[in-house]
Amino acid sequence: MAGLPTGRAGAFTAVALVLVGELCMDAGAAIAVIVFPQTGPLGMVMLRLVFSALILVVVTRPRVRGYDREAWLTVIGYGLVLALMNGLFYQALRLLPLGVTVTIEVLGPLVLSVVASRRASAWVWAVIAFAGVVFLGGGGWDQINLLGVLFALGAAASWAFYILAAARAGRIFPRLDGLALAMSIGAVLSLPFGIVDAGSALLRPEVLGLGAAVAVLSSTIPYALELTALRRLPEAAFAILMSLSPATAALAGFVLLGQQLGVLQLAGMGLVIVAGIGAVRAGVADDGRRRGGMPRRDLDAVTGPLSEPTVRLADTTGPLATLNGPLTGPIEIVGPDEGPEEPFAAPRA
């Protein structure tokens, strides 16, 4: 986005882009819930993955020749965990409010970040997150669908494995080729389950249109906005904004689905958000110590998500891998280290 402002104005614009991307992702999830009676959760998973794969393949045109057996096993595993993660997430959405589902799902990458830090003090954030989950019961777990909680916990575990799979694929495949291939494999794997779940609804143009809308809202738009924001926003600030996803999900659930959460549930959500922010800050501090100095605060400008080799799927322990969107993958901006700057300083020319 060539016209993005610079300096503090650019930073605040980038913050707005990240939040809009989060809201788009949650709006896509809300639309999916609305369409569940017609397609079922697995039918919607199939539609989302199929349309997302089509968009990625058309835009990235991934290379399929020249990879060995290990590379293909990696991308197949990546696609399998991607399909599983989204299937469990939508099954949880069928039984739980959107805000509660996202809050529980966030625990996967949060715990992975805590474990990867290898510091005992980092487990404080895990304990805070666990307290938040207890509060999500709203004073009584009999009021929360336990099967939905199990689905959400499965989605959380799958998200953690997804980050690891994305990192491995990012070391083998250039640019977004690994993600495009994995999305295509996930779409193929979801076909039989989606066809059985949705049945004849897949022949209705309005259902296909809503499936495409969910793919665009939940994948294409957030990804584009995130990469645009990363041109002007420090990586730690970006990760902290991503940790607010339970709050934006609760807002989308309230506005679009009429889902209301109690005071204790909101408090639990707040604790999980605090734990996410704490884990991000601890990761930044660890990164600074590993580098033998101050953590990197600035980012190289990104000229385009599909052509610039400095954008890749990578780093399972860095702050960006902590709380990124399920279909965008952990993002790392790779550039030369510079001296410390103010957190919202203007990017280098």
Side-chain angles (χ1 to χ4, degrees):
M1 191 176 295
L4 194 66
T6 60
R8 290 186 180 274
F12 286 118
T13 299
V15 169
L17 290 177
V18 173
L19 294 178
V20 169
E22 282 292 297
L23 289 171
C24 285
M25 187 176 295
D26 296 326
I31 292 174
V33 172
I34 294 172
V35 184
F36 278 175
Q38 302 173 65
T39 64
L42 297 182
M44 180 50 63
V45 169
M46 182 199 72
L47 289 174
R48 175 176 174 176
L49 293 181
V50 166
F51 283 111
S52 295
L54 288 174
I55 293 170
L56 273 172
V57 168
V58 169
V59 173
T60 66
R61 290 177 291 179
R63 180 170 61 87
V64 296
R65 297 180 183 275
Y67 296 116
D68 58 16
R69 181 174 178 271
E70 180 184 357
W72 281 110
L73 287 177
T74 296
V75 81
I76 288 171
Y78 187 9
L80 176 62
V81 74
L82 192 155
L84 179 63
M85 176 183 68
N86 284 277
L88 291 170
F89 177 72
Y90 277 176
Q91 289 284 15
L93 277 184
R94 179 173 57 90
L95 302 170
L96 296 174
L98 177 57
V100 172
T101 303
V102 172
T103 302
I104 296 175
E105 190 193 28
V106 159
L107 295 178
L110 194 156
V111 171
L112 178 62
S113 176
V114 170
V115 172
S117 74
R118 297 189 180 92
R119 296 177 63 221
S121 59
W123 286 96
V124 171
W125 306 117
V127 172
I128 292 175
F130 176 76
V133 172
V134 173
F135 273 62
L136 281 179
W141 277 95
D142 56 329
Q143 303 173 22
I144 295 288
N145 188 293
L146 291 181
L147 181 59
V149 171
L150 291 177
F151 280 134
L153 288 173
S158 299
W159 193 354
F161 282 111
Y162 169 87
I163 292 173
L164 297 174
R168 182 176 177 82
R171 290 190 293 267
I172 298 174
F173 295 88
R175 297 183 299 276
L176 300 181
D177 286 17
L179 178 60
L181 293 172
M183 191 76 72
S184 301
I185 292 169
V188 171
L189 293 174
S190 70
L191 280 175
F193 303 98
I195 291 172
V196 170
D197 207 16
S200 61
L202 296 176
L203 302 176
R204 294 161 56 186
E206 67 273 18
V207 171
L208 295 177
L210 287 171
V214 169
V216 171
L217 284 171
S218 296
S219 304
T220 308
I221 292 177
Y223 188 65
L225 293 180
E226 287 170 10
L227 286 178
T228 300
L230 279 167
R231 298 170 182 168
R232 295 292 183 270
L233 198 62
E235 57 185 18
F238 174 81
I240 287 173
L241 287 171
M242 295 301 293
S243 72
L244 299 177
S245 57
T248 60
L251 177 62
F254 175 73
V255 173
L256 299 177
L257 301 174
Q259 297 174 342
Q260 298 186 10
L261 300 178
V263 174
L264 286 178
Q265 290 175 318
L266 292 174
M269 188 177 301
L271 286 175
V272 172
I273 291 173
V274 167
I277 293 173
V280 168
R281 293 178 65 86
V284 172
D286 284 344
D287 183 65
R289 277 187 287 272
R290 284 195 297 269
R291 293 175 186 273
M294 294 289 291
R296 188 176 70 227
R297 301 264 183 144
D298 59 327
L299 300 176
D300 284 348
V302 181
T303 59
L306 305 180
S307 60
E308 177 60 49
T310 57
V311 181
R312 71 182 186 215
L313 299 176
D315 192 9
T316 61
T317 60
L320 290 186
T322 308
L323 292 168
N324 204 22
L327 285 184
T328 62
I331 302 171
E332 181 188 19
I333 305 298
V334 182
D337 291 338
E338 300 281 342
E341 296 182 3
E342 291 300 317
F344 285 90
R348 292 189 301 275

